[in-house]
Amino acid sequence: MMTPKLPEPMSLAFAEAEAAQARGEVPVGCVIIDSSGKTVAAAGNRTLELKDPTAHAEMLAIREAAKALGSERLVGCDLYVTLEPCAMCAAAISFARVRRLYFAAEDPKMGAVDHGPRFFGQPTCHHRPEVYGGIGAARGEELMREFFRERRKSSPAVAGEERDP
Amino acid sequence: MMTPKLPEPMSLAFAEAEAAQARGEVPVGCVIIDSSGKTVAAAGNRTLELKDPTAHAEMLAIREAAKALGSERLVGCDLYVTLEPCAMCAAAISFARVRRLYFAAEDPKMGAVDHGPRFFGQPTCHHRPEVYGGIGAARGEELMREFFRERRKSSPAVAGEERDP
């Protein structure tokens, strides 16, 4: 497969996703840059390692960025993630006032941007980032396919299970 | 106002909400009990103190309970919260496999159980707790009204702002 050139932060997000996969986690990675383009946070999914159902890549990156910037509002920051955010992460992205959201693969099963709740279109959503989907979609989809293929092999019972264990 | 008798965990959740208010936070409190009725987590909103947009009472309580139980799934646990959960918290409640959700006041502005995304009714929601709303509703509504009344007095510009600063 030809690998199209990705924006640098999305390449970093994929490196985080691959590191998560190597730890046995669902392969999702996230990077946040500030308005000058500096990386302020990078994280991969750690729900199993931390035994924390809220430890999605986006949540960890948002908390890390807020700490780095000393503010619970990430004004002017852009967030790159390898999978369409779920409802938890989409709402956190809104609360954090993220300026632009870039995501790679769609997630029909748990996504909340283009699927299910479509959170940013809800009247109860009070800050909407600009959203750019499909940035590195093929690579994101392949990562997820590979993950579920491996998981089905090792544990057929969980074949139909959702993204986040 | 007559105060109807509340289930013990909801009384504790209100104590957490009042402690949050005393810290200058939006007054929301949350308690999680295990299947034997033992309190495994209690938390109030700390978004300002922690400079963390994800530090809603429910999120902090879920993380605390998961740590206490040594598992990212709070199987058999019930969650009590003084305000209808937002989309972030509703999704986290689902991921954590909470058995029953009890909440006090409705939140038409940010709620995601009976408002907006109605997360638990979405096809992208893969675990639905039993939901009991309105348990201590009058007290929860009064707490929120009082908070916004005080905030309008001290800072008229934020009068129309949402729940979580």
Side-chain angles (χ1 to χ4, degrees):
Chain A
M1 178 177 72
M2 267 287 292
T3 307
K5 188 146 174 58
L6 287 177
E8 180 64 19
M10 189 61 94
S11 292
L12 288 174
F14 274 111
E16 289 290 340
E18 283 157 9
Q21 183 175 31
R23 294 189 301 266
E25 304 275 359
V26 181
V28 183
C30 178
V31 163
I32 298 175
I33 62 169
D34 68 14
S35 55
S36 76
K38 192 184 142 209
T39 300
V40 290
N45 189 22
R46 289 186 189 266
T47 54
L48 296 177
E49 177 193 338
L50 301 179
K51 298 191 195 314
D52 177 354
T54 76
H56 286 195
E58 302 95 310
M59 301 297 280
L60 297 177
I62 287 170
R63 292 171 57 204
E64 186 182 321
K67 202 166 182 181
L69 299 173
S71 166
E72 78 281 7
R73 297 190 174 184
L74 310 180
V75 176
C77 288
D78 300 337
L79 186 148
Y80 292 75
V81 59
T82 59
L83 188 67
E84 179 186 348
C86 72
M88 175 177 73
C89 295
I93 286 166
S94 171
F95 299 159
R97 307 292 196 276
V98 166
R99 181 176 60 172
R100 296 187 191 113
L101 162 64
Y102 299 84
F103 69 87
E106 298 219 327
D107 187 359
K109 184 131 197 193
M110 304 236 329
V113 178
D114 289 337
H115 299 90
R118 292 175 169 76
F119 181 72
F120 301 127
Q122 292 287 346
T124 52
C125 171
H126 306 292
H127 168 85
R128 291 165 185 80
E130 294 171 36
V131 177
Y132 303 90
I135 313 297
R139 190 169 165 189
E141 286 159 16
E142 179 51 30
L143 251 184
M144 293 303 289
R145 261 197 308 270
E146 190 190 331
F147 172 78
F148 284 110
R149 201 159 48 219
E150 287 303 313
R151 195 153 81 163
R152 268 193 301 272
K153 268 193 230 162
S154 58
S155 168
V158 298
E161 214 170 337
E162 76 286 9
R163 165 190 171 196
D164 284 285
Chain B
M1 177 177 72
M2 268 285 291
T3 306
K5 187 142 173 63
L6 287 177
E8 180 64 18
M10 190 61 95
S11 291
L12 288 174
F14 274 111
E16 289 290 341
E18 283 158 8
Q21 183 175 33
R23 295 189 300 267
E25 303 276 358
V26 180
V28 183
C30 178
V31 164
I32 298 175
I33 61 170
D34 68 14
S35 55
S36 76
K38 191 184 142 210
T39 300
V40 290
N45 189 21
R46 291 188 189 265
T47 54
L48 296 177
E49 176 193 340
L50 300 179
K51 298 191 195 317
D52 178 355
T54 76
H56 286 196
E58 302 95 310
M59 302 296 280
L60 297 178
I62 287 170
R63 292 170 55 203
E64 185 181 322
K67 201 168 182 177
L69 300 173
S71 166
E72 77 281 9
R73 295 191 176 184
L74 311 180
V75 176
C77 289
D78 300 336
L79 186 148
Y80 292 75
V81 58
T82 59
L83 188 66
E84 179 186 347
C86 73
M88 175 177 72
C89 296
I93 286 166
S94 171
F95 299 157
R97 307 293 194 276
V98 166
R99 182 176 60 174
R100 298 188 190 112
L101 162 65
Y102 300 84
F103 70 86
E106 298 219 326
D107 186 0
K109 185 129 196 196
M110 303 236 331
V113 178
D114 290 337
H115 298 89
R118 291 174 170 75
F119 181 71
F120 300 126
Q122 291 288 346
T124 52
C125 171
H126 306 292
H127 168 85
R128 291 165 184 79
E130 294 171 36
V131 177
Y132 304 90
I135 314 295
R139 190 166 165 194
E141 286 159 16
E142 179 51 29
L143 251 185
M144 294 303 289
R145 262 198 306 272
E146 189 190 330
F147 172 79
F148 284 110
R149 200 159 50 220
E150 288 303 312
R151 195 153 82 161
R152 269 194 299 274
K153 269 193 226 160
S154 58
S155 166
V158 297
E161 212 168 336
E162 76 286 11
R163 164 192 171 195
D164 283 288

